[in-house]
Amino acid sequence: MRKAQRRQIEEIIKQMEEAHDEMKRCIENGNTVQAGELLADCQNAAVAIGTLIEDTEGEGHPAVTVLEEYCELVYQIHESLLSASNAVNINKIYKSLRQKLIKVENSIRNDIKIRTEAVFLPYKASMWDSLESVWRAADADPDCDAYVIPIPYFDKNPDGSFKEEHYEGDQYPDYVPVTHYDSFDFRKHMPDMIYIHNGYDDWNLVTSVHPNFYSRNLKKYTEELIYIPYFVLGEIDPDNEQAVEGMKHFCFMPGIINADKVIVQSENMKKIYVREYLKAAKGYGLTGRHLDKTYLEKKFLGMGSPKFDKVLNTKKEDLEIPDEWLKIIEKPDGSWKKIALYNTSVGAFLQHSEKMLKKMESVFEIFKEYKDEVALLWRPHPLIQATIESMRLQLWEAYQKIKSKYIEEGWGIYDNTSDIDRAIEISDMYYGDPSSVVALYEKTGKPIMMQDVEILKSERFEYDIASAEAICTYQSDYYFVCMWAPLLCRMNRETLECEVLYRFRGERAGSRIYKKIIPYHNKLFIVPFYSEQIAVYDIISMEMQFVSLNEDYVDVRWQENQVSVKFEDALQQGKFLYMIPHSYHALTRMDMDSLALEEIPLGRKGKEIFYYCLGSACLQKNWLVFPIYSESSICFFNIDTDGIDKIYPIGMQKKYSNIFAIGDRLWLIPEKLYKGIDIWDMDSGAIRQTLMLSNEINLMSQKNESMDIKMGFLQEGKLYLLPYGLERGLVIDLDSGIVKLWDLPYEYKEERFSSEYRYMYKLRYNSILHEEGYTVICGLRGEWTVSERDRVYVIERKSLRSKDLTLALAGVQPGEIMWEGRLSLEKYITLRDEAKTPSKLGKDDIGQIIYNI
């Protein structure tokens, strides 16, 4: 028996008890006619209950026997009321009826099992995995009747009107019994719970389920409407405002508003949903429980997604692989090629339009070259066609042409089936757009790379492991920290062979973690740029230790989602290492013997953005001199007295990026060269001369929107300035004052950088290592240029020999998501098995947990 049916019976019994009370009053008042009518109503009610029990539980049920006894008692009492010769004992009649009715209630409560009815309403078969494990739990419950009822949906025209209707009831696995939506009467069944995975109703611009199945209508036919999203997202920190902004539209839509329960993938996601729902509800003018946080905390449940269950339970040996797929997957010897899952999303098409089409053509061209070793499994989002037709109609013909060509050539797999889990299970790696598939794929431990639409086959930019942010020499070797990967490496100066010495754990890949390396007594002191720790590497023992910075200041935000830059330069004086702040709050000194740190505050301890040195500092006699960018001033720190002697304001019209000590003067290099290079006299404490540059240089400087010069060095009576935003460097003859343009190897183009590091194209050279008469300059792409007297040449390095070279180049740990650009697609698809990590899937049956609520 259904819960609603028993509730109906309980309501009838309650009415019968009230009739008993009324009958007693009628008899006491001598109104036996009305008392008889009430008894007749009670008998009819008992018959109705008995009929309902026999319909649901079968004949001969104990409760029906008790009801028959009750009816017999009612008949006898009715007859006694009609007989004027018999005295009526009112209390005895009332008591006997009450006792018999209690027996009926007890039998119904104890002898009748309540059955639950659960209805599942998927609309696209490819999204069934978001409900399947909950259905399995319901189907396995002997006291539950579970119905899978695929519902029809429509594509939409650009004006929002409906196009053709779709019904995918024939696309579900054989083990799923499907009920046609026309044959199920919701009004009659009144299911205890209805599960949906489409919460948009009429809010979606691309598709719509049939209006009969909008959540506001379904709500009329069930006590519990439960919404489970058909997607999963990458996990988001609730405090990451930018990430939340990109997904908050999922938190408030009709299905969520009308649902009694909303299941989300984690507790962190629940926090986001509750918070964003409250904001939106206020904005839409909703009232009552929609603004009750206590209620919402019970409505939203961070139990996980049934999609995780499906991935966990899908086994390769149980899958049926189509013959046409096997022709592409199998090598001549019968073994399988590596399979790459290529996922193209709706969001990428809407965002990039024509660029997305060019990117797809480029991707297919690359995979076609590797088709003998790698099988491409292209799986576009199920709604891609409907989306293009509805929102990007001008792209449809071009998209169809690309798709048709891919299918006709036959070297890759085109997967438009409803089974995403098969694609995840048989593939060895993921490549494509950020989407809900990525969150599932992460759980497998297999490698993932996000595609960059801006990078085409003919325009690839590949970051090199030898692109060094910091370089030093020690004995016969170069030591350097990679710019794009969290690695400390060594290069032999004679053989030019490289090796990885240490991988910095927990550092963000590609984030330029360290800035300078200072060798001291068999140790390397590595000065942080983005990192929150100073690293000290013992060259003899090959051990690394870390000294943490002041925790009160390491998390100062200077750009959205990035921690502050710590230090820009570092200078050694005896056993002390002075670290010059970029946007850190203090000049910091380390005793390199004891590793003790001392901070010299510079008067700024707030959380606001403040920039000090953005280029280079210098030592002049007993002073450490560096520019303060935000105040357009120069700071003189006295090493002997451990105090700031003077801060000289220059005026906001000129900001300095670099300071070089030459004799008894300081050469102050401005952010913009067209304003002139100032020469500071130490004796008078003032600018003695301003060196104005040629019209050609000034024009270059005026056209450049960023800083002109980032770093430089002195060599044989000349000052060499390396370009930042300029296309060419400068060489200044210090005796004659003649300034010449300096052409360096390699040309950089902005479009060759991935979108994540597009700004970095201006930083043509990352670091320099200056020794007597010999300077090594490292470029952004990893080329090492030597400036030796008047000769400039490139060191031809040999390959890095390391088993995890490819991952090191990508700047990621095994199991982390890679981004195209740090690693080329060609390198990625030839990754070895070391890129895999153990599966991250748990063993909890999420579907069972959800069903149990």
Side-chain angles (χ1 to χ4, degrees):
M1 178 178 290
R2 296 280 313 291
K3 187 188 296 184
Q5 291 170 323
R6 188 168 82 172
R7 192 179 301 112
Q8 181 183 353
I9 291 174
E10 290 171 348
E11 183 61 31
I12 294 174
I13 290 176
K14 182 179 179 181
Q15 293 172 0
M16 292 168 68
E17 290 173 344
E18 293 172 354
H20 290 175
D21 294 337
E22 183 62 26
M23 179 204 65
K24 181 181 178 184
R25 284 192 290 271
C26 288
I27 295 174
E28 288 173 342
N29 294 328
N31 191 349
T32 57
V33 174
Q34 188 174 353
E37 292 174 354
L38 288 169
L39 286 171
D41 290 340
C42 288
Q43 189 171 48
N44 291 335
V47 171
I49 293 174
T51 302
L52 179 57
I53 293 174
E54 287 185 338
D55 288 344
T56 58
E57 307 299 313
E59 296 182 358
H61 194 276
V64 175
T65 303
V66 178
L67 283 165
E68 289 173 346
E69 294 173 359
Y70 173 84
C71 288
E72 179 60 29
L73 176 61
V74 168
Y75 173 76
Q76 292 174 2
I77 295 171
H78 185 269
E79 290 300 308
S80 67
L81 289 177
L82 296 178
S83 175
S85 59
N86 294 332
V88 176
N89 188 332
I90 299 173
N91 291 329
K92 182 178 179 181
I93 291 173
Y94 181 80
K95 185 177 180 179
S96 61
L97 286 172
R98 177 62 185 149
Q99 288 175 341
K100 193 63 71 174
L101 200 54
I102 289 174
K103 286 186 178 181
V104 171
E105 288 181 288
N106 290 338
S107 181
I108 290 171
R109 184 180 300 111
N110 299 323
D111 299 330
I112 297 178
K113 282 190 174 182
I114 295 301
R115 296 192 62 77
T116 301
E117 188 167 284
V119 170
F120 297 82
L121 301 179
Y123 84 111
K124 287 193 70 66
S126 60
M127 300 171 181
W128 167 239
D129 59 349
S130 62
L131 299 176
E132 181 173 303
S133 63
V134 187
W135 165 76
R136 284 183 178 276
D139 191 56
D141 183 353
D143 297 322
C144 178
D145 297 317
Y147 296 87
V148 178
I149 308 174
I151 59 178
Y153 67 94
F154 299 90
D155 294 331
K156 282 187 172 183
N157 292 305
D159 64 359
S161 60
F162 289 172
K163 292 202 295 187
E164 65 273 18
E165 181 179 292
H166 301 279
Y167 174 72
E168 299 184 0
D170 58 344
Q171 298 181 28
Y172 288 76
D174 294 338
Y175 55 81
V176 178
V178 168
T179 299
H180 196 277
Y181 62 92
D182 276 344
S183 65
F184 189 87
D185 188 336
F186 282 84
R187 191 181 302 276
K188 179 180 178 181
H189 278 260
M190 293 296 293
D192 298 285
M193 56 196 80
I194 296 177
Y195 294 89
I196 59 173
H197 63 189
N198 183 314
Y200 292 100
D201 288 0
D202 52 351
W203 285 21
N204 195 310
L205 300 177
V206 177
T207 61
S208 171
V209 299
H210 194 290
N212 288 348
F213 300 99
Y214 284 170
S215 59
R216 61 177 175 265
N217 294 327
L218 296 175
K219 182 67 178 163
K220 302 172 186 176
Y221 304 113
T222 184
E223 289 190 352
E224 196 143 60
L225 181 63
I226 302 171
Y227 167 67
I228 305 175
Y230 63 75
F231 55 85
V232 290
L233 302 172
E235 278 302 313
I236 295 173
D237 182 343
D239 296 326
N240 186 334
E241 295 180 6
Q242 185 180 25
V244 171
E245 183 69 24
M247 58 74 62
K248 67 179 184 180
H249 57 283
F250 293 124
C251 304
F252 190 82
M253 49 188 172
I256 292 181
I257 296 169
N258 294 316
D260 298 287
K261 293 286 188 291
V262 176
I263 310 300
V264 295
Q265 67 195 57
S266 67
E267 283 299 318
N268 268 351
M269 204 62 76
K270 170 184 172 176
K271 292 177 184 177
I272 296 171
Y273 268 76
V274 170
R275 187 178 65 206
E276 296 305 317
Y277 184 95
L278 273 170
K279 290 180 184 177
K282 290 176 183 177
Y284 275 81
L286 299 187
T287 59
R289 64 182 187 178
H290 296 289
L291 303 181
D292 183 347
K293 188 174 180 181
T294 302
Y295 163 75
L296 295 178
E297 292 284 354
K298 297 176 181 178
K299 173 184 176 112
F300 291 94
L301 303 171
M303 292 181 164
S305 172
K307 295 173 79 72
F308 295 145
D309 287 335
K310 183 64 175 177
V311 173
L312 176 65
N313 295 321
T314 300
K315 306 299 180 186
K316 186 180 291 187
E317 57 270 20
D318 299 330
L319 296 172
E320 182 178 338
I321 310 300
D323 291 339
E324 59 269 25
W325 288 21
L326 289 173
K327 292 176 183 177
I328 297 169
I329 293 171
E330 290 183 341
K331 296 180 179 180
D333 62 1
S335 63
W336 279 26
K337 304 172 187 175
K338 182 184 294 182
I339 301 174
L341 171 58
Y342 180 41
N343 175 47
T344 50
S345 72
V346 167
F349 266 99
L350 293 178
Q351 181 179 357
H352 300 293
S353 299
E354 289 83 0
K355 281 186 178 181
M356 185 64 183
L357 298 177
K358 291 180 181 179
K359 178 62 177 178
M360 288 169 54
E361 290 178 316
S362 173
V363 170
F364 293 149
E365 185 179 346
I366 292 171
F367 273 102
K368 188 175 180 180
E369 292 176 4
Y370 288 84
K371 67 182 186 327
D372 293 335
E373 295 298 323
V374 181
L376 180 64
L377 192 160
W378 176 31
R379 184 180 174 85
H381 190 281
L383 295 176
I384 203 77
Q385 177 175 340
T387 300
I388 295 175
E389 289 181 336
S390 176
M391 303 180 70
R392 296 290 188 275
L393 187 58
Q394 74 278 10
L395 302 181
W396 178 240
E397 184 176 343
Y399 175 80
Q400 277 287 72
K401 186 176 181 180
I402 294 171
K403 184 181 81 170
S404 297
K405 180 183 178 184
Y406 174 80
I407 294 172
E408 289 168 5
E409 287 182 348
W411 54 266
I413 298 167
Y414 178 71
D415 182 7
N416 63 346
T417 69
S418 60
D419 195 352
I420 178 61
D421 303 287
R422 175 175 60 184
I424 292 174
E425 177 62 23
I426 69 171
S427 60
D428 301 286
M429 54 177 35
Y430 175 97
Y431 175 73
D433 300 318
S435 78
S436 62
V437 179
V438 175
L440 295 176
Y441 214 89
E442 274 191 285
K443 301 295 183 180
T444 68
K446 293 184 279 193
I448 298 170
M449 177 185 272
M450 300 299 186
Q451 73 174 350
D452 188 330
V453 167
E454 303 290 343
I455 300 177
L456 304 180
K457 184 176 186 293
S458 61
E459 300 177 340
R460 295 190 307 277
F461 181 97
E462 186 176 315
Y463 300 122
D464 194 294
I465 195 168
S467 176
E469 184 78 2
I471 309 174
C472 78
T473 57
Y474 182 82
Q475 296 180 351
S476 61
D477 296 313
Y478 296 114
Y479 291 83
F480 61 94
V481 176
C482 302
M483 187 166 190
W484 305 112
L487 303 172
L488 172 66
C489 300
R490 175 167 56 199
M491 181 194 296
N492 185 285
R493 294 181 69 164
E494 300 299 326
T495 66
L496 303 180
E497 291 182 350
C498 298
E499 62 177 323
V500 174
L501 297 178
Y502 186 83
R503 181 188 293 274
F504 294 96
R505 307 291 174 178
E507 297 287 359
R508 181 177 179 268
S511 64
R512 305 174 61 202
I513 53 177
Y514 289 99
K515 183 66 178 179
K516 298 273 287 190
I517 304 178
I518 306 294
Y520 177 78
H521 291 181
N522 300 326
K523 292 182 179 180
L524 303 179
F525 288 78
I526 310 173
V527 178
F529 192 62
Y530 279 123
S531 180
E532 298 174 357
Q533 303 175 101
I534 300 164
V536 182
Y537 182 76
D538 190 310
I539 297 172
I540 306 303
S541 68
M542 301 180 69
E543 294 180 349
M544 184 74 78
Q545 62 185 119
F546 296 93
V547 180
S548 296
L549 297 172
N550 190 329
E551 293 183 359
D552 292 338
Y553 299 99
V554 294
D555 202 30
V556 176
R557 302 285 164 173
W558 75 290
Q559 282 185 11
E560 216 165 289
N561 300 323
Q562 291 184 321
V563 293
S564 64
V565 178
K566 306 309 182 303
F567 303 105
E568 185 68 36
D569 201 1
L571 300 169
Q572 180 187 355
Q573 184 78 349
K575 70 172 184 175
F576 291 108
L577 175 63
Y578 292 89
M579 290 167 279
I580 317 301
H582 178 113
S583 54
Y584 193 61
H585 75 285
L587 173 67
T588 303
R589 180 173 61 189
M590 170 178 269
D591 183 323
M592 291 188 286
D593 289 334
S594 67
L595 303 187
L597 281 183
E598 180 183 357
E599 292 185 345
I600 298 97
L602 296 172
R604 293 278 178 169
K605 288 195 174 184
K607 296 292 185 180
E608 74 277 9
I609 299 170
F610 193 85
Y611 298 108
Y612 294 97
C613 180
L614 302 189
S616 59
C618 68
L619 284 168
Q620 175 66 300
K621 297 181 181 179
N622 63 322
W623 287 292
L624 191 157
V625 187
F626 58 91
I628 300 179
Y629 180 87
S630 288
E631 286 184 346
S632 297
S633 59
I634 304 170
C635 180
F636 285 78
F637 175 78
N638 192 314
I639 293 173
D640 295 337
T641 63
D642 286 344
I644 296 173
D645 273 0
K646 185 78 173 176
I647 293 179
Y648 290 92
I650 305 299
M652 294 305 290
Q653 73 278 5
K654 184 177 283 189
K655 298 175 183 291
Y656 297 114
S657 58
N658 297 264
I659 300 180
F660 298 95
I662 302 173
D664 61 352
R665 297 182 179 181
L666 299 176
W667 285 57
L668 312 178
I669 311 301
E671 175 192 27
K672 306 302 298 181
L673 289 174
Y674 72 83
K675 295 184 178 182
I677 297 174
D678 292 328
I679 301 173
W680 180 279
D681 182 71
M682 294 294 295
D683 292 334
S684 63
I687 294 172
R688 172 70 64 85
Q689 176 187 353
T690 297
L691 180 63
M692 301 307 296
L693 306 178
S694 68
N695 289 336
E696 183 180 7
I697 295 173
N698 290 339
L699 185 60
M700 284 172 40
S701 173
Q702 289 167 352
K703 287 183 177 180
N704 174 37
E705 296 178 356
S706 61
M707 189 164 61
D708 291 341
I709 300 297
K710 184 69 172 176
M711 58 188 72
F713 60 91
L714 293 166
Q715 185 170 293
E716 298 184 348
K718 295 178 181 179
L719 176 59
Y720 292 81
L721 299 177
L722 294 170
Y724 180 77
L726 301 180
E727 296 177 0
R728 304 162 76 184
L730 301 183
V731 180
I732 303 174
D733 188 303
L734 298 176
D735 292 328
S736 66
I738 296 173
V739 181
K740 294 182 180 180
L741 288 167
W742 185 26
D743 291 311
L744 285 158
Y746 293 91
E747 178 184 358
Y748 293 86
K749 294 182 179 180
E750 178 181 4
E751 64 269 15
R752 297 178 74 86
F753 285 71
S754 72
S755 58
E756 185 178 7
Y757 290 107
R758 187 61 42 76
Y759 74 96
M760 288 301 299
Y761 87 98
K762 295 181 181 299
L763 185 60
R764 286 158 167 75
Y765 297 95
N766 331 350
S767 54
I768 55 176
L769 167 66
H770 180 62
E771 297 179 337
E772 190 64 33
Y774 183 92
T775 302
V776 175
I777 306 163
C778 180
L780 188 61
R781 290 185 60 179
E783 71 282 353
W784 287 36
T785 303
V786 172
S787 173
E788 190 173 16
R789 296 180 174 86
D790 293 329
R791 182 180 171 220
V792 178
Y793 58 93
V794 176
I795 296 176
E796 296 295 335
R797 296 177 297 99
K798 294 187 179 180
S799 298
L800 180 75
R801 295 180 179 178
S802 173
K803 67 179 182 179
D804 59 353
L805 165 63
T806 310
L807 291 178
L809 285 168
V812 295
Q813 308 283 355
E816 290 182 334
I817 294 177
M818 292 172 250
W819 293 84
E820 188 175 7
R822 295 182 207 155
L823 188 69
S824 68
L825 177 55
E826 291 92 330
K827 285 279 183 67
Y828 173 64
I829 62 181
T830 56
L831 278 175
R832 302 299 178 187
D833 287 341
E834 67 265 14
K836 295 183 179 180
T837 59
S839 170
K840 301 174 186 176
L841 285 164
K843 296 185 178 180
D844 290 337
D845 189 338
I846 296 171
Q848 185 67 59
I849 294 171
I850 294 172
Y851 173 68
N852 288 342
I853 67 174

